[in-house]
Amino acid sequence: MAVSRSVMWGELKGMRKVETVEQMPAEYRETLLKIVYALVSTEFASVEQHQEWINKGPTAEDRFAQAQICADEAHQGFIDSRLLRTFGPEGEAYADRLLAARMGEHPLHAFNVPFTSWADLCGFCFLMDHVAWYHLRAFEDSSFAPFAREMTTMVHEERFHASFGARRIKDLVTNPRYQDLAKAGPAEAQATVDKWYPHALDTFGAAKSKFSDLGVMYGIRRWGNEELRQMWKADLDKQITAIGLVVPDAGAGRLIH
Ligand SMILES: [Fe+2]
Ligand SMILES: [Fe+2]
């Protein structure tokens, strides 16, 4: 999509976009710092989740896809943490802490949960990479100009991860040859959808959130937490049903409301 030079929505609409931290009003800076921090925390964490599976996929294409996903998440991690470092000593400290964090220490809970099988990895890509895709789409044409520019590659990377997951979950349900290769079928597909569904809903954050509202007001994100969660849910519920699986109860297993 085309990237505009002026802010496209919210209270700053029509103004020139923000390029650097020095230009930011205090509340804008505080809001963006929270958003970038949360984003950085997911990137290297998902490399950690995926890396041990790079060579375990049942087909050559699966192994290629895992290597590509790790490369994409590391690419996003380097870009996001470079943006975090532009916030000065505070951002530097956050970036150092996130780059040292290991499984169990990541701020967003879903990224501390390991994959237990190949089918489970496919379920993560199907549900959690769609979460990432919706999150990143909300930054397309962001009022923070560097974000808006980076989204022209990142959004498509996440689309690839999510589509890969959707296709493999469908193969586990309907494709006998893939079931044979993966040694898993509809029961494993349903189990991984059940596992990641509450994590995915939680990852959008609290429904009532000051920083979610400020993010939209300042034009940093197009949609707030709850709006994004409902967009994801409408889309994924439809996809889960179309594959022939059961949509889990949206209230079950949730930690964040
Ligand atoms: Fe990512
Ligand atoms: Fe991803």
Side-chain angles (χ1 to χ4, degrees):
M1 73 178 282
V3 175
S4 154
R5 289 196 164 194
S6 56
V7 178
M8 299 303 285
W9 65 89
E11 301 228 328
L12 309 179
K13 188 172 173 182
M15 280 180 61
R16 187 83 169 194
K17 282 186 181 178
V18 177
E19 282 289 343
T20 67
V21 175
E22 292 76 10
Q23 295 171 288
M24 295 173 194
E27 200 177 48
Y28 186 109
R29 179 188 184 281
E30 193 192 356
T31 305
L32 183 66
L33 181 59
K34 285 247 187 303
I35 288 172
V36 179
Y37 173 79
L39 199 59
V40 177
S41 83
T42 69
E43 312 292 15
F44 289 106
S46 57
V47 176
E48 198 184 355
Q49 282 171 311
H50 281 276
Q51 55 87 16
E52 50 177 309
W53 294 91
I54 288 179
N55 281 316
K56 291 186 183 155
T59 69
E61 192 203 336
D62 287 327
R63 296 192 285 280
F64 159 74
Q66 284 314 296
Q68 185 63 52
I69 287 173
C70 285
D72 291 345
E73 299 300 349
H75 159 246
Q76 296 170 8
F78 283 122
I79 286 170
D80 298 345
S81 52
R82 196 163 64 220
L83 289 176
L84 190 54
R85 287 181 196 284
T86 65
F87 283 81
E90 201 184 356
E92 299 259 3
Y94 278 147
D96 290 343
R97 199 196 301 162
L98 289 176
L99 285 167
R102 287 294 170 267
M103 194 164 281
E105 302 164 344
H106 302 302
L108 293 175
H109 178 58
F111 296 90
N112 292 315
V113 180
F115 307 153
T116 54
S117 65
W118 178 258
D120 193 37
L121 173 151
C122 296
F124 178 93
C125 292
F126 177 33
L127 299 188
M128 290 297 298
D129 282 297
H130 269 105
V131 172
W133 183 64
Y134 273 101
H135 263 127
L136 296 189
R137 278 187 56 210
F139 298 133
E140 281 185 324
D141 227 350
S142 172
S143 64
F144 180 46
F147 245 14
R149 288 191 293 266
E150 297 300 350
M151 289 313 133
T152 59
T153 56
M154 287 188 191
V155 166
H156 307 285
E157 290 172 351
E158 287 312 322
R159 184 75 236 175
F160 166 66
H161 310 167
S163 307
F164 167 79
R167 185 157 56 89
R168 284 319 192 202
I169 288 296
K170 187 173 176 208
D171 285 338
L172 287 171
V173 176
T174 60
N175 179 341
R177 184 171 148 68
Y178 196 73
Q179 291 167 348
D180 221 39
L181 289 167
K183 295 180 185 58
E188 286 76 11
Q190 183 67 58
T192 185
V193 164
D194 292 346
K195 171 179 168 178
W196 293 107
Y197 193 85
H199 290 306
L201 290 170
D202 277 351
T203 305
F204 289 101
K208 279 210 179 327
S209 153
K210 178 182 138 196
F211 286 105
S212 165
D213 295 345
L214 286 172
V216 177
M217 186 194 102
Y218 283 123
I220 298 168
R221 295 166 88 197
R222 174 84 69 168
W223 304 286
N225 293 352
E226 191 54 33
E227 221 175 337
L228 276 171
R229 180 166 25 241
Q230 293 312 323
M231 287 163 72
W232 177 93
K233 189 175 178 304
D235 180 2
L236 272 294
D237 285 1
K238 213 160 104 195
Q239 292 194 48
I240 292 167
T241 308
I243 291 171
L245 296 172
V246 178
V247 175
D249 172 0
R254 297 284 305 282
L255 300 170
I256 295 172
H257 295 278

